[in-house]
Amino acid sequence: MTQEPFITLAGVRKGYRTGSDAIPIFTALDLAIPRGDFVAIMGPSGSGKSTLLNMLAGIDVPDAGSLKVGNYRLDQMGETARSSWRAHNMGIVFQFYNLLPMLNAAENVELPLLLKPLSAGERRSRVAKVLDLVGLSGREKQYPSMMSGGQQQRVGIARAIVSDPKLLLCDEPTGDLDRKSADEVLEILALLNRTLEKTIVMVTHDPQAARSAKRTLHLDKGLFVEEKRAA
Amino acid sequence: MTFLSLARKNAWRKPLRTVLLLICIAVAFLIYALTASFLAGSQGTSAASEDVLGVMSVAGRAQPLPMAHLARIAAEPDVGAATFMTRLRGFVGSEKNVVAVSAVEPQGLMSVNGRELGLTPALIGSLDQGRDRILVGRALAEAQGWSVGQLITITAFQMVRQDGDREWRFEIAGIFEGENESTDTYFAIGRYDYVNASRAKGRDTVDVFVVRPRDGIKASTLAARIDSLFANSAAPTRTQSEKQFLEAFLRQYADIKLIVNLVTGVAFVTLLMIVINTMVFAVRERTFEIGVLKTLGVSGGRIIALVLVETFLIVAIGATIGLVLAKLATVLVGTVLGLAFSPSVLAKATAIALAVGLATGLLPAINAMRTPIIKAFRAR
């Protein structure tokens, strides 16, 4: 029996308007990602990578077609419902980390847990666990301004997984890092996929980053034109 | 960490801006609390009774009324108690140091106005021990540095003694406190029989009759009835509550309440504009971070709450500083300036602080809530 995909896009249409001009991004995009997959999405600027990621994150919605993640039809949900869905089902890693500067590492990681009915002790315990997982034990009290880019990105990853979401979205997670830090971050992502079975969708320009994924999809002019599977 | 501590950290992320905002808010609340304390204090009318009526000559308080009016007033069935008073105004030492003695029949005053003035049977009894004895209000005693047993001399402005002298000597028999801190205690209470017997002119006349209506009787109705008793007499009356009298008295100089309201109104409108402007900019600077919070799943309602709590926190701290300073001022110079930081001043200030917090926080909060995530990310 074939397992139902974790993420399904069917006939997704999406475009933007600038003044009187309509700019189509996707006209009929189809995509299926099974649970536990690690997909890299590559493509030139303007190919629709970020739009796709925004839709998968529930930040943006398709103009037409269906978008299903797990049991949720994101295209049929309102803003409040999608906000709640994000809090409980998805983690996101940004290119520029996007940590809050007035919070230390532990507080930044704890942020998504404030949306869950957890005691302060449970929150602390989860924060300590994920910071340990990304190799930042002992740096809980450090503020973002005191950390390197690689360390900040690891805090960003810890923040994305602290709620234990099934889906992890990564927007150019190595785009602002040197090679060594980038490799460390990719290693953590691969680990999360392998051991915790997180489904990861990563948008990247970096071919080396894409090699960490199980498969790579190439997007061009709103269509997937090529698929490569890791050896 | 909690959302409250997140709001606190947001409020303090630019300490200089926050401190300047706090100073601005503190000054506005200081102005409000001082002016409101002035209104509520002995110089004002807020604490004056609306139940106790004063019957004066229609020509003004300076015109005496015949003592004979008392029997007709007391005979009114709706009058609970009535007494009379003559005011001896003068100065002690310097002419600028004006003091006043209300010459009364002590038991009568006790029955009409004893509770409001904080009079006790022991205090009233102490007046019986000598005709020249007086009770001094706490505010007057503190301002003059007087104590019980001290002999004082008041030089009257108008009331001349039979021997042609204007010097009136009194012995302080006690100090009355007033019912609460808002009660006017900047005067003394003496014996009418002593003043009446010693004065050269105006014997057996009084400046005012003080009337307490019976329970359940509307003061304004009784006031009209008393005035109608003397409407066609040689000495017609005007009856007003203590509050009405004081308000009319102060209006001779200016509408103080209106001035106070205008001053505080201007202060708060300015404050509102400054705080709204600052908060709008402070939140706009964080548009990107608000986008991040929304991406993490923080709902629009929580975003509004976060900005509102931050604003409330700043307003609450600023208001508290202003109110504490105002309280200190009333403790240090309250009796001299007639300031009373009453619970009602505190309650109104709290209500204003809540309203200011809401008014200043709502606009930036709604802006933050409505900004779409994608637009917020472009703000970087």
Side-chain angles (χ1 to χ4, degrees):
Chain A
M1 194 176 71
T2 313
Q3 192 191 5
E4 191 183 350
F6 182 54
I7 298 171
T8 312
L9 281 80
V12 164
R13 179 160 59 82
K14 180 70 187 172
Y16 292 107
R17 295 195 76 84
T18 51
S20 56
D21 299 331
I23 302 169
I25 306 293
F26 303 122
T27 48
L29 188 70
D30 297 319
L31 175 67
I33 299 175
R35 191 178 294 276
D37 203 355
F38 184 172
V39 181
I41 295 174
M42 298 188 75
S45 296
S47 60
K49 301 188 299 295
S50 295
T51 303
L52 175 61
L53 203 74
N54 286 342
M55 288 195 294
L56 291 177
I59 292 170
D60 208 348
V61 285
D63 295 335
S66 75
L67 166 56
K68 193 176 175 194
V69 179
N71 296 319
Y72 298 91
R73 279 286 298 269
L74 295 188
D75 56 296
Q76 293 178 346
M77 289 160 67
E79 173 54 41
T80 307
R82 279 185 279 125
S83 178
S84 172
W85 173 82
R86 281 196 296 274
H88 297 97
N89 297 282
M90 178 217 78
I92 188 160
V93 180
F94 301 93
Q95 179 179 0
F96 298 107
Y97 337 122
N98 296 352
L99 304 178
L100 301 195
M102 74 289 186
L103 302 183
N104 63 32
E107 289 167 336
N108 263 295
V109 174
E110 191 183 358
L111 210 47
L113 296 182
L114 296 181
L115 304 169
K116 290 180 174 284
L118 297 173
S119 69
E122 286 173 295
R123 292 202 302 268
R124 271 197 300 274
S125 155
R126 282 210 199 184
V127 168
K129 196 173 152 189
V130 292
L131 279 175
D132 184 48
L133 190 69
V134 297
L136 286 178
S137 279
R139 294 186 185 273
E140 292 85 353
K141 301 288 177 199
Q142 287 195 353
Y143 285 83
S145 58
M146 302 154 71
M147 301 173 113
S148 68
Q151 287 168 336
Q152 287 188 60
Q153 191 58 294
R154 282 193 266 168
V155 175
I157 294 171
R159 180 178 65 182
I161 61 170
V162 72
S163 301
D164 194 24
K166 296 283 173 266
L167 174 62
L168 192 58
L169 301 174
C170 306
D171 185 8
E172 303 268 13
T174 58
D176 196 46
L177 302 177
D178 58 54
R179 191 68 264 158
K180 183 171 176 289
S181 300
D183 288 343
E184 286 168 0
V185 163
L186 293 168
E187 220 169 90
I188 292 170
L189 292 178
L191 182 79
L192 292 172
N193 174 250
R194 208 168 47 242
T195 59
L196 300 179
E197 296 179 338
K198 304 286 180 201
T199 304
I200 300 178
V201 179
M202 173 174 70
V203 164
T204 183
H205 277 107
D206 178 5
Q208 202 162 328
R211 278 197 283 276
S212 304
K214 288 177 180 169
R215 60 181 176 134
T216 303
L217 300 175
H218 284 266
L219 198 55
D220 192 18
K221 294 176 185 163
L223 289 170
F224 289 114
V225 292
E226 187 186 0
E227 177 176 347
K228 281 183 188 164
R229 289 197 170 269
Chain B
M1 192 178 66
T2 60
F3 269 104
L4 184 65
S5 60
L6 184 60
R8 185 173 52 78
K9 281 169 186 268
N10 271 333
W12 282 104
R13 63 189 350 195
K14 293 211 169 165
L16 178 62
R17 179 166 67 192
T18 306
V19 166
L20 290 174
L21 259 189
L22 288 178
I23 291 172
C24 176
I25 296 165
V27 168
F29 275 87
L30 177 64
I31 291 170
Y32 168 73
L34 286 180
T35 49
S37 296
F38 174 75
L39 278 181
S42 58
Q43 303 271 324
T45 61
S46 301
S49 172
E50 287 191 86
D51 296 330
V52 176
L53 295 171
V55 184
M56 284 163 279
S57 168
V58 77
R61 197 172 182 173
Q63 290 298 312
L65 290 170
M67 181 65 91
H69 276 19
L70 179 64
R72 293 181 66 187
I73 293 170
E76 262 298 308
D78 289 340
V79 170
T83 189
F84 51 88
M85 181 194 295
T86 282
R87 202 85 154 166
L88 190 165
R89 292 184 76 247
F91 61 89
V92 176
S94 157
E95 279 193 37
K96 288 181 180 171
N97 187 22
V98 178
V99 294
V101 176
S102 293
V104 301
E105 193 283 299
Q107 293 299 340
L109 183 70
M110 181 73 177
S111 62
V112 176
N113 218 10
R115 180 172 54 81
E116 286 85 353
L117 293 173
L119 298 176
T120 62
L123 281 171
I124 292 294
S126 67
L127 289 177
D128 291 338
Q129 291 163 20
R131 294 208 309 166
D132 62 345
R133 293 193 152 211
I134 56 171
L135 301 175
V136 178
R138 170 62 66 193
L140 180 61
E142 285 182 0
Q144 303 290 339
W146 291 343
S147 56
V148 175
Q150 190 173 339
L151 296 172
I152 61 162
T153 300
I154 297 174
T155 307
F157 290 125
Q158 289 181 329
M159 197 179 283
V160 183
R161 294 173 63 91
Q162 282 180 357
D163 57 9
D165 197 0
R166 288 178 189 272
E167 308 276 298
W168 293 78
R169 290 170 190 82
F170 296 101
E171 181 184 349
I172 299 172
I175 290 171
F176 64 95
E177 304 287 344
E179 187 183 20
N180 54 51
E181 61 178 5
S182 300
T183 309
D184 176 13
T185 54
Y186 200 86
F187 67 100
I189 297 168
R191 285 175 55 164
Y192 177 82
D193 55 354
Y194 169 57
V195 172
N196 192 45
S198 307
R199 63 179 164 175
K201 288 191 217 167
R203 280 217 189 160
D204 297 330
T205 62
V206 300
D207 289 346
V208 61
F209 294 101
V210 187
V211 175
R212 180 178 286 282
R214 276 178 39 212
D215 288 346
I217 301 299
K218 203 174 169 190
S220 58
T221 311
L222 180 59
R225 200 176 307 148
I226 290 171
D227 288 341
S228 69
L229 284 177
F230 306 107
N232 296 314
S233 74
T237 60
R238 176 183 292 150
T239 305
Q240 294 174 306
S241 71
E242 189 185 0
K243 189 181 182 76
Q244 287 171 322
F245 171 74
L246 280 172
E247 282 174 349
F249 180 73
L250 287 171
R251 264 201 299 274
Q252 292 177 66
Y253 303 99
D255 191 338
I256 291 176
K257 200 168 183 176
L258 178 67
I259 292 170
V260 163
N261 286 339
L262 284 175
V263 168
T264 50
V266 168
F268 276 106
V269 167
T270 312
L271 169 77
L272 271 180
M273 288 192 291
I274 292 171
V275 180
I276 287 177
N277 192 42
T278 310
M279 286 308 296
V280 164
F281 274 98
V283 174
R284 193 173 290 170
E285 280 172 8
R286 301 203 297 266
T287 302
F288 182 81
E289 287 174 21
I290 287 165
V292 173
L293 288 176
K294 285 182 173 179
T295 307
L296 296 179
V298 178
S299 63
R302 278 184 197 265
I303 296 284
I304 282 192
L306 202 59
V307 177
L308 277 181
V309 167
E310 181 182 338
T311 319
F312 273 116
L313 212 58
I314 293 172
V315 172
I317 295 170
T320 304
I321 293 169
L323 295 175
V324 167
L325 289 176
K327 178 67 184 173
L328 275 176
T330 55
V331 168
L332 294 174
V333 292
T335 49
V336 179
L337 298 179
L339 305 174
F341 192 91
S342 62
S344 75
V345 172
L346 183 63
K348 281 180 192 167
T350 307
I352 290 172
L354 287 172
V356 168
L358 194 65
T360 54
L362 214 49
L363 181 65
I366 289 173
N367 281 347
M369 182 202 73
R370 293 172 67 172
T371 307
I373 297 174
I374 292 174
K375 194 176 169 191
F377 280 155
R378 283 191 215 119
R380 180 156 206 160

